[in-house]
Amino acid sequence: MPAQTKEEFYVRRLFDDDVPVFVDATKNVRQDLPYPLSAKKALKATCGVRTDNEVVAFSLRNYTGKQAEREVEHVESTVDGRVTAQNQLRLRMPRRTLHGLNETARALSVVLGDEVITELDGDLYVLTLARNGNEGELTLAGKLARSEGGYVRSELSDADTEFELPVAGVRLRIFLRSPVRERIIAYGFSGYLTRKPGEMETVTRATALALNSILGLATFRMLSQLERIDVPPVPRGNAARPRKAADRVTFTVPALLFTEDGTPAARGHAAAEIDLDQVDPVTGGLQLHVTAGDQLEWNPAVAETVQFDAYERVLTETIGAMLHSVLGADTVRDLAYDIMLGDLGPDSITRLRAATTGLPGLAAKPSQAEVRSAQPTGAPAA
């Protein structure tokens, strides 16, 4: 059967500030006619579609408000002495992108079963798709590596894979089989998701968000038999890029811990780290993370009944006060601004490391702590 191809083009736009909808603009592309918009901000996305006997390829580009301002042209014209104005968008079929999606889909057809394959920065990830009616839930299952003999699949030890959102937006390519027709769905997404550049995102969450961005298009929805993809929660931990050990400010503080009735509980050194990506959400000062670390020796008599969590708050507050005293209020404020704005430089990190060196010891109960100059030695008394 000879190959038959069809091309379509859609604009996702707002009407009267309502929910964005996809509108067929294929005629505008074929006749090289500008697409009129009531306002520049009405433009939300464009999507080119190419269908042949084996693959239906979709190329969607999301627009931010600033991008729409740049893309949409405000045109004024004079007819019979009357000046009229119109916002116009020049449309172009993304044939090169669609061709690339088509080629990759055909290459992946030998390994693409009922799962979803997502390509991010040249890496191929395999996700299972659990369907519940017209809703779907994705789970990262493995990774594909290209080889001379085809593709080799490997399992992943982590529940999900995180990546940093780039400044220029995310580019994903997603492949799945249609459950109702003998076609591979190849989908290219370009744009921004729900989080800011520099923050961390996961492959599963990004895939779900990208799929939901196109499920408003009837063609995609009908072929995929999906109306919504469940979006996993935001990754836990710091939103910013994970720092290497050499770029972190970690230190230990001598500590004597007691129960509220004065019974020795532990002695040694508590571990602490200054958060270089976020400030304290309440005070706006330096944010500390204090843990037991591996240098605290616990009194066996109370080890089963006392947990370090009981001392975490009071130790964090007291260590924070010590650092505030060493650095000074003005320096702490400047450092907090630098952290908040992502402008913390090497000199500031060096200053923080100097401030955390040689701190005096602490004696603490769950309700209070005091500074002691003496370093704790020996094992805690039973």
Side-chain angles (χ1 to χ4, degrees), residues 17 27 39 73 106 164 186 193 208 216 234 237 244 282 288 319 374:
D17 294 330
K27 178 181 177 181
E73 184 181 2
R106 292 173 190 274
E164 182 185 346
L193 301 173
V234 173
K244 299 178 182 178
V282 177
L288 289 172
I319 295 172

Side-chain angles (χ1 to χ4, degrees), residues 103-119:
E103 283 193 332
T104 304
R106 292 173 190 274
L108 290 172
S109 63
V110 295
V111 292
L112 182 61
D114 295 332
E115 296 170 312
V116 174
I117 295 178
T118 294
E119 183 180 41

Side-chain angles (χ1 to χ4, degrees), residues 129 135-138 204-205 207-209 212 228-233:
L129 173 60
E135 297 189 358
E137 182 177 355
L138 296 168
T204 303
R205 184 178 151 84
T207 303
L209 289 167
N212 283 336
R228 191 186 74 87
I229 299 292
D230 181 65
V231 179

Side-chain angles (χ1 to χ4, degrees), residues 64-374:
T64 64
K66 290 183 178 180
Q67 289 173 333
E69 285 283 341
R70 292 194 297 266
E71 291 287 332
V72 180
E73 184 181 2
H74 186 75
V75 179
E76 294 185 354
S77 59
T78 303
V79 179
D80 297 331
R82 182 179 178 183
V83 178
T84 61
Q86 189 180 59
N87 296 302
Q88 298 180 349
L89 174 66
R90 288 289 176 179
L91 306 178
R92 294 178 179 84
M93 183 67 69
R95 290 190 175 90
R96 183 176 179 179
T97 301
L98 293 169
H99 180 71
L101 285 165
N102 193 291
E103 283 193 332
T104 304
R106 292 173 190 274
L108 290 172
S109 63
V110 295
V111 292
L112 182 61
D114 295 332
E115 296 170 312
V116 174
I117 295 178
T118 294
E119 183 180 41
L120 171 67
D121 295 333
D123 293 325
L124 294 169
Y125 298 90
V126 181
L127 300 95
T128 60
L129 173 60
R131 294 175 178 267
N132 182 15
N134 290 328
E135 297 189 358
E137 182 177 355
L138 296 168
T139 304
L140 187 62
K143 199 171 182 180
L144 290 177
R146 298 176 179 86
S147 67
E148 293 183 0
Y151 294 91
V152 178
R153 177 167 171 168
S154 61
E155 303 302 317
L156 293 174
S157 57
D158 297 330
D160 210 337
T161 298
E162 293 189 356
F163 66 97
E164 182 185 346
L165 290 169
V167 174
V170 178
R171 293 182 182 273
L172 293 174
R173 300 205 304 172
I174 302 169
F175 305 88
L176 65 155
R177 288 190 182 275
S178 169
V180 293
R181 287 292 186 269
E182 292 295 326
R183 296 289 194 282
I184 295 177
I185 301 171
Y187 170 39
F189 172 90
S190 174
Y192 295 89
L193 301 173
T194 59
R195 314 198 73 200
K196 297 178 181 179
E199 294 185 329
M200 301 305 293
E201 191 55 274
T202 68
V203 171
T204 303
R205 184 178 151 84
T207 303
L209 289 167
L211 286 171
N212 283 336
S213 294
I214 198 173
L215 284 175
L217 182 60
T219 306
F220 194 99
R221 190 170 62 249
M222 292 167 65
L223 285 171
S224 67
Q225 290 292 286
L226 293 167
E227 293 184 358
R228 191 186 74 87
I229 299 292
D230 181 65
V231 179
V234 173
R236 296 182 61 187
N238 293 337
R241 178 194 305 115
R243 292 179 178 270
K244 299 178 182 178
D247 298 328
R248 296 162 60 185
V249 178
T250 59
F251 57 100
T252 60
V253 178
L256 288 169
L257 305 183
F258 300 88
T259 63
E260 286 294 356
D261 63 6
T263 302
R267 67 172 20 170
H269 291 76
E273 178 173 1
I274 298 176
D275 195 324
L276 302 184
D277 298 307
Q278 297 175 342
V279 297
D280 188 294
V282 177
T283 67
L286 299 178
Q287 178 154 283
L288 289 172
H289 302 289
V290 180
T291 63
D294 57 3
Q295 298 183 42
L296 273 181
E297 299 178 61
W298 290 88
N299 180 359
V302 299
E304 296 298 324
T305 58
V306 179
Q307 302 293 325
F308 182 80
D309 292 351
Y311 303 89
E312 184 178 348
R313 180 189 61 80
V314 68
L315 289 176
T316 300
E317 292 177 353
T318 308
I319 295 172
M322 287 195 296
L323 290 176
H324 197 279
S325 176
V326 172
L327 290 165
D330 291 342
T331 299
V332 169
R333 184 188 63 250
D334 291 341
L335 289 169
Y337 274 116
D338 289 343
I339 291 171
M340 180 177 60
L341 299 174
D343 292 337
L344 197 70
D347 292 343
S348 297
I349 293 177
T350 299
R351 177 178 288 185
L352 286 171
R353 288 195 177 123
T356 59
T357 301
L359 290 175
L362 298 176
K365 295 181 178 181
S367 59
Q368 62 180 18
E370 61 181 35
V371 179
R372 290 188 175 183
S373 59

Side-chain angles (χ1 to χ4, degrees), residues 7-13 15 21-30 35 47 91 93 217 219:
E7 290 184 343
E8 301 164 272
F9 196 92
Y10 298 89
V11 175
R12 188 169 186 251
R13 56 163 299 178
F15 288 95
V21 295
F22 282 98
V23 178
D24 190 349
T26 307
K27 178 181 177 181
N28 296 72
V29 174
R30 289 175 179 168
Y35 182 85
C47 184
L91 306 178
M93 183 67 69
L217 182 60
T219 306

